[in-house]
């Protein structure tokens, strides 16, 4: 069986929409693999920050992206021999990731790596362009959103839990800027894929969102 015959559930959405938590739990419930594509952009950003690579040097950045030595096991993310699970969640890394994600050659450099996560029995992939560009034949496409205030609150909690300092006003500002950059970029902009189910999670718990996605998937398998 070729990799392209294993089912993919694509969950896209803006930053801090809860898609990571939802995608992770859906993958667990189905026994599927999980791809956090944002982590790949964050790993590239962290490599660039650590090596002092200028953000204007697209060629050097795409080389960093194509040469990423990273591994994922459970919740742990390694960059070479370094455990960077928490380090890649820093706001500076997220903002840098959003900037370099607008570079076509960086996106191209990460394309094959993302496809390689599609393995039996299936994959849940979360990001911005999972349903539109990377896995356009995904069995199920979901676009998760939440109000900026709900997302800023979630990001605040996430950062505090990970031991970072955070300030709501700065977070909201960052979020607006990041949304604008991710939505308005020329290549693979953040937008619902054709045929995507829209899910606004502002007033939902993560578990309720997980149940909704599983229900959509179960309905699809009936046909
Ligand atoms: O989902 P996240 O916040 O961890 O992603 C970090 C940045 O990476 C995000 O601001 C935009 C970029 N990204 C992207 O352009 N395409 C993806 N599929 C995933 C993330």
């Amino acid at each position: 069986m070729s990799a392209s015959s294993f089912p993919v559930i694509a969950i896209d959405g803006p930053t801090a929409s809860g898609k990571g938590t939802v995608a992770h739990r859906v993958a667990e419930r189905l026994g599927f693999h999980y791809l956090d594509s944002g982590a790949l952009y964050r790993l590239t950003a962290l490599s660039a920050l650590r090596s002092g690579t200028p953000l204007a040097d697209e060629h050097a950045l795409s080389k960093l992206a194509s040469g990423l030595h990273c591994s994922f096991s459970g919740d742990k993310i390694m960059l070479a021999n370094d455990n960077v699970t928490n380090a890649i969640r820093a706001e500076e890394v997220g903002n840098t990731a959003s900037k370099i994600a607008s570079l076509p050659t960086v996106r191209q450099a990460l394309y094959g790596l993302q496809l390689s996560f599609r393995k039996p029995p299936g994959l849940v992939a979360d990001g911005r362009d999972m349903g539109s560009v990377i896995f356009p034949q995904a069995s199920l496409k979901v676009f998760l959103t939440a109000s900026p205030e709900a997302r800023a609150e979630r990001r605040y909690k996430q950062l505090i839990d990970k031991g970072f300092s955070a300030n709501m006003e700065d977070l909201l500002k960052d979020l607006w800027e990041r949304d604008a950059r991710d939505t308005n970029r020329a290549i693979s902009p953040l937008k619902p894929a054709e045929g995507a189910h829209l899910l606004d999670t502002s007033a939902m718990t993560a578990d309720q969102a997980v149940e909704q996605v599983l229900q959509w998937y179960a309905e699809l398998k009936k046909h």
Side-chain angles (χ1 to χ4, degrees):
M1 258 182 146
S2 75
S4 59
S5 50
F6 303 117
V8 175
I9 298 179
I11 303 187
D12 290 304
T15 192
S17 55
K19 63 191 176 346
T21 309
V22 173
H24 199 257
R25 289 193 200 168
V26 169
E28 261 176 9
R29 290 276 294 274
L30 295 171
F32 279 14
H33 296 275
Y34 168 57
L35 164 62
D36 171 3
S37 63
L40 302 181
Y41 290 92
R42 287 172 180 267
L43 284 164
T44 309
L46 184 65
S47 302
L49 290 168
R50 285 184 172 176
S51 59
T53 306
L55 299 188
D57 190 343
E58 182 167 354
H59 178 68
L61 292 169
S62 62
K63 269 180 78 177
L64 282 181
S66 56
L68 273 185
H69 287 288
C70 58
S71 63
F72 294 75
S73 67
D75 289 340
K76 193 162 93 178
I77 303 178
M78 302 288 291
L79 182 60
N81 293 323
D82 199 5
N83 182 341
V84 294
T85 315
N86 284 342
I88 60 162
R89 300 296 159 199
E91 275 299 282
E92 187 194 9
V93 178
N95 282 327
T96 306
S98 163
K99 286 179 191 153
I100 64 173
S102 65
L103 303 171
T105 55
V106 170
R107 303 199 73 83
Q108 189 55 40
L110 293 174
Y111 180 69
L113 179 55
Q114 293 176 84
L115 294 187
S116 72
F117 280 78
R118 187 175 195 172
K119 284 184 271 193
L123 174 70
V124 181
D126 98 52
R128 305 292 188 287
D129 60 346
M130 297 297 99
S132 55
V133 177
I134 309 294
F135 300 110
Q137 322 79 353
S139 323
L140 174 66
K141 299 177 186 181
V142 178
F143 193 80
L144 265 189
T145 52
S147 68
E149 291 72 20
R151 292 192 284 129
E153 242 168 71
R154 284 175 195 168
R155 175 54 48 81
Y156 180 84
K157 209 172 157 292
Q158 234 175 29
L159 287 168
I160 297 295
D161 285 351
K162 287 193 174 357
F164 293 111
S165 62
N167 163 305
M168 274 298 276
E169 218 170 288
D170 291 348
L171 281 179
L172 254 173
K173 188 169 153 278
D174 269 8
L175 215 102
W176 284 111
E177 282 176 10
R178 192 109 70 91
D179 280 357
R181 205 163 34 228
D182 292 351
T183 309
N184 297 323
R185 68 179 176 225
I187 179 165
S188 305
L190 168 70
K191 65 164 196 252
E194 225 181 289
H197 292 263
L198 299 185
L199 187 58
D200 186 329
T201 65
S202 307
M204 270 184 166
T205 63
D207 280 336
Q208 287 169 324
V210 169
E211 291 308 324
Q212 176 63 78
V213 175
L214 288 172
Q215 193 187 323
W216 280 329
Y217 189 61
E219 277 165 16
L220 208 127
K221 287 187 71 182
K222 275 196 228 149
H223 300 295

